[in-house]
Amino acid sequence: MRRRSVFTVAGLAAVSVPAAADASPPAGTRARVRTGMDRLAASGWDRLKGSRVGVVSNPTGVDRDYRHLVDRMHEDGVTIGGVFGPEHGFRGSAQAGGSEGTGVDARTGLTVYDAYLASLEKWMSMFTASAVRTVVFDIQDVGARFYTYIYTLYDSMAAAARLGLRYVVLDRPNPIGGRAHGPMMTDGYTSGVGRLKIVQQHGLTVGELARFYNGEFLSGAVNLEVITCTGWHGGLHASDTDVPWVLPSPNMPTPDTAEVYPGTGMVEGVSALSEGRGTTRPFELIGGPGFDHRWGDRVAAHGLPGVEFREAYFTPTFNKFTNVLCAGVEVKVTGKAGFDPIRTAVAMLVEARKEPAFSWRLDGTRHWIDLLTGSARLRTMIDAGATPAEVTGAWAAELAAFQKQRRPYLLYPRPSSPTGSGSLGARSGS
């Protein structure tokens, strides 16, 4: 079921979204963007008045002065029944695969529930225990299928639908723009790093994802509202806007990390290579103890658009190859408009597979790369000697189908797609 109606959020003046989705701001300036949080706060939290609110957020839920959504709402007298922390926790103190547990927030005195890996039943239990009637989601996503916050969004939406709760998404820009790239998730390969049938780089904001989830996976059952951004379009990346950057997770320190992550995140599926965890440039520094400059030279010889490869040596302080010298490359994005992180990483994997030190990472009996890419296709094609063009060409049809499928849920113009609602808000539900 697909429903699409548009409303204007009370008390907020209209600001048009640029129609030229490929346009970047003039050199030395940044596009002024107002996030959903900025706009709702400016209205005096008008949409939340009279309701007991639950907040799903983490350290990224801040205004342009870096004040957190929960802190501001609490100070302004919004009734908050509970806060729900995803992976890494509400205040962001936990490493990958961890959470902060359930407890009381020191600053506000509010109960914070541990929502990481929560089942539908646990979400329903937490919402019931906190007696909330409206759920507010505000987390900065980075645009990759294997980044877990988008499943926190899905699960909490599903629980809200079951309980008849209103669900409000405070939208934020996708920091790597609005283009979609990569393969589709397929049956039999879903996991915690890829649970839903979307492509690897979905190119959606969390507000658009919420609309997509509601229409495609939840039968329109969620009473969903999206407080949209103004001033953003799909041709803008994080470095093009004035939206404050807060690292969404400990190993996602900068917008540069986010740019490469949908591609080099696949290196987690390779035992012989470090993805740079334990360094100051995770997912940008890629290498291993069995590699040398020749691997990087072969990758660079592909002449990939929008990227250069610097010969690099590094010693991780944790994760793979702790305290072991690794040789490889630093991935340097030189032109965001032409850069495809997944195509780039495929070339890196194709050349790495030729090295004697290469090995795929096993998770029990499953290959981790299959879970990250959504099927065994990429791994088996590379093992069989396929070229990067052959590998990436294999998913062209499913990528095109996804781009068509997502079109009714878009809220902002996209490169090569001049249409977009440019609306202040959107609402869907039964």
Side-chain angles (χ1 to χ4, degrees), residues 271-344:
S271 295
L273 285 171
S274 165
E275 63 273 13
R277 292 182 188 271
T279 75
T280 57
R281 306 300 289 190
F283 302 104
E284 296 173 71
L285 287 169
I286 309 294
F291 289 72
D292 60 26
H293 65 277
R294 288 171 291 186
W295 169 59
D297 290 347
R298 293 200 308 272
V299 175
H302 284 272
L304 297 161
V307 64
E308 299 290 346
F309 301 91
R310 181 185 70 83
E311 182 179 344
Y313 300 86
F314 58 94
T315 303
T317 59
F318 63 88
N319 202 257
K320 295 178 186 172
F321 308 123
T322 301
N323 298 325
V324 175
L325 179 64
C326 296
V329 297
E330 181 181 4
V331 182
K332 306 292 287 186
V333 178
T334 56
K336 296 189 295 292
F339 177 62
D340 178 343
I342 300 172
R343 176 184 174 188
T344 299

Side-chain angles (χ1 to χ4, degrees), residues 373-398:
T373 61
S375 73
R377 180 178 54 198
L378 177 141
R379 175 177 56 83
T380 55
M381 288 187 72
I382 291 177
D383 282 348
T387 67
E390 290 170 336
V391 175
T392 57
W395 58 65
E398 62 209 55

Side-chain angles (χ1 to χ4, degrees), residues 105-401:
D105 179 54
R107 176 176 286 275
T108 62
L110 296 167
T111 299
V112 178
Y113 295 85
D114 182 1
Y116 180 43
L117 299 180
S119 64
L120 175 63
E121 291 72 21
K122 183 178 178 181
W123 273 109
M124 293 173 62
S125 176
M126 292 187 296
F127 285 159
T128 300
S130 58
V132 300
R133 299 307 305 164
T134 297
V135 179
V136 174
F137 182 97
D138 190 2
I139 294 177
Q140 177 66 69
D141 181 41
V142 299
R145 185 178 59 217
F146 34 71
Y147 210 55
T148 65
Y149 300 143
I150 62 174
Y151 306 114
T152 299
L153 172 67
Y154 176 79
D155 290 334
S156 55
M157 285 178 63
R162 288 283 190 94
L163 296 173
L165 308 180
R166 184 168 61 126
Y167 201 101
V168 179
V169 176
L170 305 185
D171 212 3
R172 292 180 177 272
N174 186 319
I176 58 174
R179 287 188 172 93
H181 296 291
M184 175 66 74
M185 175 57 62
T186 63
D187 292 331
Y189 292 91
T190 58
S191 71
V193 292
R195 290 179 41 206
L196 298 171
K197 289 187 176 181
I198 57 177
V199 296
Q200 193 163 312
Q201 181 177 332
H202 51 74
L204 299 169
T205 68
V206 288
E208 292 171 328
L209 264 177
R211 287 161 56 83
F212 185 91
Y213 289 167
N214 199 26
E216 298 296 322
F217 304 138
L218 295 170
S219 301
V222 185
N223 180 11
L224 173 66
E225 299 176 30
V226 176
I227 311 300
T228 57
C229 305
T230 60
W232 187 79
H233 57 75
L236 294 175
H237 294 227
S239 58
D240 299 320
T241 78
D242 66 350
V243 176
W245 176 263
V246 175
L247 65 168
S249 57
N251 295 292
M252 192 66 58
T254 71
D256 291 342
T257 324
E259 291 287 352
V260 301
Y261 179 69
T264 57
M266 293 192 291
V267 175
E268 293 186 355
V270 179
S271 295
L273 285 171
S274 165
E275 63 273 13
R277 292 182 188 271
T279 75
T280 57
R281 306 300 289 190
F283 302 104
E284 296 173 71
L285 287 169
I286 309 294
F291 289 72
D292 60 26
H293 65 277
R294 288 171 291 186
W295 169 59
D297 290 347
R298 293 200 308 272
V299 175
H302 284 272
L304 297 161
V307 64
E308 299 290 346
F309 301 91
R310 181 185 70 83
E311 182 179 344
Y313 300 86
F314 58 94
T315 303
T317 59
F318 63 88
N319 202 257
K320 295 178 186 172
F321 308 123
T322 301
N323 298 325
V324 175
L325 179 64
C326 296
V329 297
E330 181 181 4
V331 182
K332 306 292 287 186
V333 178
T334 56
K336 296 189 295 292
F339 177 62
D340 178 343
I342 300 172
R343 176 184 174 188
T344 299
V346 167
M348 296 170 71
L349 294 176
V350 165
E351 296 302 334
R353 180 65 178 81
K354 300 172 183 177
E355 296 289 329
F358 185 88
S359 58
W360 298 109
R361 171 187 168 190
L362 284 172
D363 179 40
T365 59
R366 301 188 298 180
H367 285 91
W368 192 250
I369 190 69
D370 298 354
L371 306 182
L372 293 170
T373 61
S375 73
R377 180 178 54 198
L378 177 141
R379 175 177 56 83
T380 55
M381 288 187 72
I382 291 177
D383 282 348
T387 67
E390 290 170 336
V391 175
T392 57
W395 58 65
E398 62 209 55
L399 175 59

Side-chain angles (χ1 to χ4, degrees), residues 77-98:
V78 177
T79 302
I80 302 176
V83 180
F84 305 89
E87 183 180 8
H88 310 292
F90 166 56
R91 295 293 185 183
S93 65
Q95 258 293 347

